[in-house]
Amino acid sequence: MRTRESADEKIEVVFTADQIAAAIDRMAREIARDYAQRSLLIVGILKGAMFVVSDLARALAGVQNGPVCTLDFMAVSSYGNQTRSSGEVRLLKDASESIEGRDVLIVEDIVDNGLTLEYIHGLLASRKPRSLRTAVLLDKPYRRLVDVPLDYVGLIVPDAFVVGYGLDYQERYRTLPFIANLILPDSGEPAH
Ligand code: IMP
Ligand code: MG
């Protein structure tokens, strides 16, 4: 399916809303099994992971004998231009809860070169949680620059810049209910 979103940008669906929902449900079952009847603090990374957290947390609530979940959020941004992750991560909003001694699950939208998640994982690990794991909806494994541990992965993305379901291009497209490849007119795809 091809959809023309604006005069000079095109999007091409990569994962439908149903495919995303199935991936989230599978992740929820895996997480629920691993943390059965424990307390789990979910730390979502804004803004990209807002829909992943929202759907994953509610899917977890629906699994019998799953964990009792609480939610917290952090916000980060990369320095550099808007489409290329520079690796210099800036903390815009810290988590508001203490994580010491707790079981913590970082929830992120996408892992590309891995530097963003490596930064967040390192920061939270230094605060001495009881356990620390990661859940990401989308993985681009072939673009990794650092080896960051992924415990729960939803879907492997083709090597393309994707938008929708929380992911943006210059703050646009986040609200699409599906995930799509963004194709720009002249350069083909955004550098990422
Ligand atoms: P990393 O540091 O390269 O792993 O990049 C992770 C961050 O870059 C994600 O949290 C996203 O905000 C952004 N990002 C990476 N790939 C894409 C993409 O294809 N579309 C939109 N944002 C992306
Ligand atoms: Mg992000």
Side-chain angles (χ1 to χ4, degrees), residues 45 48 108-109:
I45 310 305
E108 176 59 312
D109 51 2

Side-chain angles (χ1 to χ4, degrees), residues 125-180:
S126 74
R127 296 175 180 173
K128 309 209 165 26
R130 179 171 180 261
S131 70
L132 183 61
R133 287 190 178 178
T134 59
V136 302
L137 178 64
L138 302 174
D139 185 14
K140 291 179 175 174
Y142 32 77
R143 293 178 48 87
R144 205 74 89 244
L145 292 180
V146 289
D147 191 21
V148 59
L150 301 188
D151 297 293
Y152 308 98
V153 176
L155 299 157
I156 307 290
V157 214
D159 192 3
F161 190 84
V162 289
V163 293
Y165 197 73
L167 291 156
D168 73 304
Y169 172 61
Q170 297 178 349
E171 289 301 322
R172 289 178 292 122
Y173 299 103
R174 280 195 207 279
T175 57
L176 296 176
F178 50 83
I179 289 163

Side-chain angles (χ1 to χ4, degrees), residues 13 15-25 155 165 177-179:
V13 175
F15 297 115
T16 64
D18 283 349
Q19 288 174 306
I20 298 167
I24 298 256
D25 272 353
L155 299 157
Y165 197 73
F178 50 83
I179 289 163

